[in-house]
Amino acid sequence: MTQEKTIVIGAGPGGASAAIYLARFNQQVTLFDAGKTIRGRTAWAYELENVLGFTKPLPGPDFLHNIDQQLKRFDIDKREETVTAVTKTPEGRFMVNTDKPAHYLADYVIVAVGVHDVMPDAPDVYDYFGKSVFPCAACNWYQTKGCKTAIITNSDMGLITARAFNAMQKGSALCVLPDRPDTAFSRDLVVLAESEGIAVHSSPLICFNGENGKLHSVTLANGANLNLDILYTRLGVKRHDIFLNAETLVVDRDQDGYIKVNFETLESSVPNLFAVGPCNTGPDQIIIAAGQGASAAMVIHDRILTNLGI
């Protein structure tokens, strides 16, 4: 009897966890890793300290290196290729194409690709990313809670984030800044934010001021300089799951483009296609992605056993 096969797309915490669980069940698994060309949030993380078992903060690249070393302990067909398309064959299997001149067939697919945060339209922004500029409050607010902090946004979500910061600790967020001159915030939210001591600016940020990744101020288009230590971005994300082309494989998504899944199984609207981590509609955290990867792998393992009559 031919062994059923799983392809895992993405070798970050979610994908690696899924691949390891499948390999430990002696299931056939191919893991695609595009980490050298597509960097997810973990690769950009300056310090990780909210993952169980960490005795001290660990840089994201070091964490990914540890995962890669762990993967080598198992019988996993790991390939450094970028997936370009996923389609269905007439027989109902998945065909996966990559940037290499080959295609791969599988009975199950786990999509475990991350997202890329949209950064402010200012020069040298990546010099500050992970040191003074952060996209994730759940990851970094605790470390930065005593610093002079602003939120940069083009939507009301930034004002909501600033109010949430101040609910956790009064004065955590000093102000909200737009990234574009045409940004329009809800007047009611502006009034609420300002009543809680949060300044809401209308002039967009144009320049970071600091050295060695440490911010000391930002300059606005109107010439104002604001003394700040930390900037949180709420400018949205770019997804890396564009290989799921609606013309060839229709997957249900929410209004922001995230893949809808049944969170009991992590299965999408396409049978036997799973989505774990930042590409689905759930929370975006390393420990959650890893848990989802393990859960999806266990569901697939159970299905394979069921198909064997076990």
Side-chain angles (χ1 to χ4, degrees):
M1 181 176 291
T2 302
Q3 185 180 7
E4 295 186 69
K5 180 178 179 178
T6 301
I7 283 178
V8 181
I9 305 171
S17 178
I20 288 170
Y21 265 75
L22 286 164
R24 283 170 54 84
F25 287 131
N26 206 32
Q27 301 295 357
Q28 188 178 359
V29 56
T30 295
L31 174 65
F32 288 110
D33 180 10
K36 291 185 177 180
T37 56
I38 301 176
R39 299 185 73 191
R41 276 182 169 175
T42 305
W44 284 104
Y46 181 60
E47 289 185 337
L48 300 170
E49 67 172 18
N50 58 342
V51 179
L52 289 176
F54 282 23
T55 58
K56 60 181 180 180
L58 185 69
D62 291 353
F63 179 53
L64 291 174
H65 173 75
N66 291 347
I67 289 176
D68 192 54
Q69 295 304 303
Q70 186 178 5
L71 287 166
K72 292 177 181 178
R73 294 171 49 200
F74 301 96
D75 186 16
I76 296 169
D77 179 22
K78 184 171 180 284
R79 297 173 178 266
E80 293 184 356
E81 301 178 26
T82 301
V83 171
T84 57
V86 178
T87 57
K88 272 288 192 77
T89 69
E91 297 76 26
R93 302 186 77 198
F94 293 99
M95 180 182 291
V96 176
N97 293 86
T98 73
D99 55 352
K100 304 294 184 182
H103 63 265
Y104 305 85
L105 293 173
D107 302 282
Y108 306 92
V109 168
I110 299 177
V111 179
V113 294
V115 296
H116 181 78
D117 293 282
V118 176
M119 288 290 104
D121 186 17
D124 304 326
V125 61
Y126 284 103
D127 291 345
Y128 296 90
F129 190 89
K131 298 177 182 179
S132 300
V133 177
F134 302 100
C136 178
C139 300
N140 299 108
W141 179 84
Y142 183 80
Q143 299 102 302
T144 64
K145 62 182 179 180
C147 301
K148 293 178 288 186
T149 301
I151 316 294
I152 185 166
T153 185
N154 289 316
S155 72
D156 286 345
M157 186 54 66
L159 277 75
I160 294 169
T161 299
R163 295 188 65 218
F165 279 20
N166 282 5
M168 292 186 285
Q169 183 183 64
K170 188 175 181 180
S172 289
L174 298 179
C175 61
V176 173
L177 312 173
D179 186 48
R180 298 195 306 257
D182 59 347
T183 300
F185 300 125
S186 165
R187 182 58 191 164
D188 290 342
L189 271 178
V190 170
V191 170
L192 275 173
E194 291 181 338
S195 72
E196 296 167 359
I198 301 167
V200 181
H201 295 269
S202 58
S203 183
L205 180 151
I206 60 168
C207 181
F208 294 99
N209 307 306
E211 57 184 3
N212 299 322
K214 296 298 183 181
L215 189 68
H216 61 66
S217 67
V218 298
T219 302
L220 306 187
N222 62 6
N225 284 312
L226 306 178
N227 293 327
L228 294 172
D229 302 314
I230 300 293
L231 187 74
Y232 278 90
T233 63
R234 294 293 280 171
L235 298 171
V237 299
K238 293 180 180 179
R239 299 185 311 278
H240 297 313
D241 58 10
I242 57 173
F243 51 79
L244 295 177
N245 190 317
E247 295 180 2
T248 56
L249 194 69
V250 178
V251 179
D252 287 349
R253 298 177 182 268
D254 72 1
Q255 62 182 4
D256 296 316
Y258 292 97
I259 300 170
K260 293 182 178 181
V261 297
N262 175 348
F263 280 100
E264 291 186 6
T265 62
L266 283 308
E267 189 172 25
S268 72
S269 58
V270 176
N272 295 329
L273 188 147
F274 300 77
V276 304
C279 61
N280 70 29
T281 57
D284 177 10
Q285 291 287 288
I286 287 172
I287 197 166
I288 293 173
Q292 289 183 352
S295 295
M298 294 179 74
V299 169
I300 291 171
H301 173 63
D302 287 345
R303 289 187 184 179
I304 292 172
L305 293 180
T306 299
N307 292 341
L308 291 173
I310 301 172

